[in-house]
């Protein structure tokens, strides 16, 4: 486990250190989550994408939300330790689901991309058939992993987590958003409302599940969950606006995936509708709205506050 010597006071909280330490913990847990056994090919394909890097933002949000509520812990250090112990299986499951969505999104039938996380996409290495199956296997295993590995909380909380994650992935979430996104391909008259629908489902729904599931495991009240949902929806939309801006402004090396795809496909995005400065401003407004929802949590929510700022400040 990485050392967590982070002072939670507003002045001294260091997001860079927090992200580094959390990433070490998440990657160790992910590494231990899947062993390569027979039939090796599919396990290798699952591990290839799961261990390919990435910011690990979703599991980190899940752990930070647990910390914000606190569970049974007393004091900042024990909050963190308890979050790692209780919420890590759910945090890993979030990354498994996210990774499978990237594998499927990169397929020729979807976004057709050759690079992801700085490496060849899954289907380029293992073929389309195995890439589809590796994604399916990660998706199913994510639910098994939550049910099998979560310990130390009442079973109803685990059932609630499974329900929320299913809702975020199904036609009510990622799948629904992806369907509308595909329908908009090649259209130049996509409205801001349709774009918002796509991104609230494709991107924000999983971030919302990460935050609320972490909080559910820690025993959050209905009122706190409502605030955290609003926080996550706002950072989710901001995250996608910045993603669209980075597609226009960053390099392929920086992003680890093909840059400039939206412009090449003449895809309608927020920056194509509003321009980059207005889009950036809109993302910053969404982040401020998100942070305002956290006021009542006090210093326990400093990591979630800082993660919201990171959404607009990031360069990859
Ligand atoms: C979930 C059953 C199921 C099917 C998948 C393909 C699909 C349906 C949905 C697409 C979801 C998708 C790829 C949304 C884009 C979200 C997004 C902005 C991804 C980039 O996230 P980062 O920047 O990536 O956090 P890293 O690599 O850092 O983790």
């Amino acid at each position: 486990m990485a050392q967590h010597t982070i002072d939670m006071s507003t002045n001294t909280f260091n997001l860079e250190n927090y992200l580094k330490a959390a990433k070490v913990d998440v990657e160790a847990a992910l590494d231990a989550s899947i062993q390569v056994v027979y039939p090796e090919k599919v396990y290798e394909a699952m591990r290839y994408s799961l261990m390919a890097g990435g910011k690990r933002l979703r599991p980190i949000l899940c752990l930070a939300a647990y910390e914000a509520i606190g569970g049974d812990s007393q004091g900042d250090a024990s909050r963190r330790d308890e979050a790692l112990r209780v919420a890590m299986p759910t945090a890993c499951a979030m990354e498994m689901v996210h990774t499978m969505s990237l594998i499927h999104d990169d397929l020729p039938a979807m976004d057709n991309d050759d690079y992801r996380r700085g490496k060849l996409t899954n289907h380029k290495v293992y073929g389309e058939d195995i890439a589809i199956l590796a994604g399916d296997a990660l998706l199913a295993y994510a639910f098994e992993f939550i049910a099998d590995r979560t310990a130390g909380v009442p079973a109803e909380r685990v059932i609630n987590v499974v329900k929320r994650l299913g809702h975020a992935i199904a036609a009510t979430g990622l799948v629904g958003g992806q369907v509308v996104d595909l329908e908009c391909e090649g259209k130049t008259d996509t409205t801001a409302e349709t774009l918002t629908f796509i991104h609230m489902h494709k991107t924000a729904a999983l971030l919302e599940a990460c935050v609320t599931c972490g909080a559910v495991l820690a025993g959050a009240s209905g009122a706190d969950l409502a605030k955290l949902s609003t926080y996550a929806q706002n950072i989710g939309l901001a995250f996608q606006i910045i993603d669209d801006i980075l597609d226009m402004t960053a390099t392929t090396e920086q992003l680890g995936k093909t840059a400039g795809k939206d412009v090449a496909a003449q895809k309608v995005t927020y920056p194509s509708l509003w321009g980059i400065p207005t889009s950036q401003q809109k993302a910053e407004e969404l982040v401020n709205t998100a942070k305002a929802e956290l006021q009542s949590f006090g210093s326990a929510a400093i990591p979630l506050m800082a993660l919201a700022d990171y959404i607009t400040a990031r360069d990859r």
Side-chain angles (χ1 to χ4, degrees):
M1 194 188 291
Q3 282 301 308
H4 292 282
T5 49
I6 297 152
D7 184 335
M8 292 292 206
S9 67
T10 324
N11 297 335
T12 53
F13 179 78
N14 182 319
L15 180 67
E16 208 182 315
N17 289 346
Y18 180 89
L19 287 177
K20 246 188 234 162
K23 205 172 161 185
V24 168
D25 289 330
V26 166
E27 301 228 321
L30 287 173
D31 195 24
S33 71
I34 299 175
Q35 274 76 50
V36 176
V37 292
Y38 182 79
E40 288 84 358
K41 201 193 278 179
V42 73
Y43 289 100
E44 279 163 11
M46 290 160 78
R47 283 188 58 91
Y48 173 80
S49 291
L50 191 63
M51 300 314 296
K55 295 179 282 298
R56 309 305 194 192
L57 181 64
R58 290 152 190 83
I60 292 172
L61 277 169
C62 180
L63 297 169
Y66 189 104
E67 273 183 273
I69 301 300
D72 297 328
S73 57
Q74 322 243 310
D76 293 339
S78 74
R79 258 173 199 262
R80 185 66 191 167
D81 288 347
E82 192 178 304
L84 292 173
R85 191 163 33 80
V86 178
M88 188 59 93
T90 296
C92 287
M94 297 299 172
E95 189 65 21
M96 290 175 197
V97 169
H98 170 55
T99 300
M100 79 71 56
S101 79
L102 300 179
I103 295 174
H104 282 198
D105 193 50
D106 291 333
L107 287 167
M110 303 263 181
D111 223 20
N112 193 17
D113 217 321
D114 291 353
Y115 291 97
R116 174 69 72 173
R117 293 175 162 173
K119 297 172 79 172
L120 281 173
T121 43
N122 201 289
H123 65 274
K124 282 276 154 190
V125 177
Y126 296 95
E128 274 182 61
D129 47 3
I130 295 298
I132 291 167
L133 291 167
D136 293 344
L138 279 169
L139 178 61
Y141 187 50
F143 285 94
E144 179 189 345
F145 202 70
I146 293 171
D148 188 45
R149 306 294 175 94
T150 309
V153 290
E156 304 86 76
R157 292 189 196 170
V158 184
I159 292 169
N160 194 349
V161 164
V162 166
K163 184 193 80 171
R164 284 171 183 272
L165 181 55
H167 189 79
I169 297 169
T172 41
L174 262 85
V175 169
Q178 180 76 350
V179 167
V180 179
D181 197 14
L182 291 172
E183 279 173 1
C184 289
E185 237 171 53
K187 286 189 187 163
T188 51
D189 58 352
T190 305
T191 62
E193 288 70 33
T194 303
L195 268 188
T196 302
F197 178 93
I198 293 170
H199 299 321
M200 289 307 288
H201 291 77
K202 248 185 90 163
T203 305
L206 189 57
L207 296 192
E208 187 181 355
C210 292
V211 171
T212 57
C213 290
V216 160
L217 289 171
S221 67
D224 283 347
L225 285 174
K227 290 176 194 165
L228 290 169
S229 282
T230 307
Y231 160 85
Q233 287 165 4
N234 280 280
I235 63 164
L237 199 51
F239 185 87
Q240 188 59 54
I241 294 175
I242 298 299
D243 216 63
D244 291 348
I245 293 175
L246 288 173
D247 182 74
M248 293 168 90
T249 58
T251 63
T252 298
E253 290 67 37
Q254 207 174 325
L255 297 177
K257 61 183 178 183
T258 314
K261 281 203 80 174
D262 296 340
V263 177
Q266 292 178 310
K267 200 170 170 179
V268 175
T269 62
Y270 289 114
S272 81
L273 284 178
W274 303 332
I276 292 177
T278 306
S279 301
Q280 181 80 33
Q281 195 191 332
K282 177 78 181 156
E284 279 159 21
E285 282 166 18
L286 287 163
V287 163
N288 288 336
T289 305
K291 285 162 65 182
E293 290 293 321
L294 302 178
Q295 290 308 324
S296 62
F297 296 97
S299 65
I302 289 171
L304 285 179
M305 294 258 186
L307 284 161
D309 284 329
Y310 168 73
I311 302 277
T312 40
R314 73 197 173 99
D315 60 2
R316 67 186 186 94

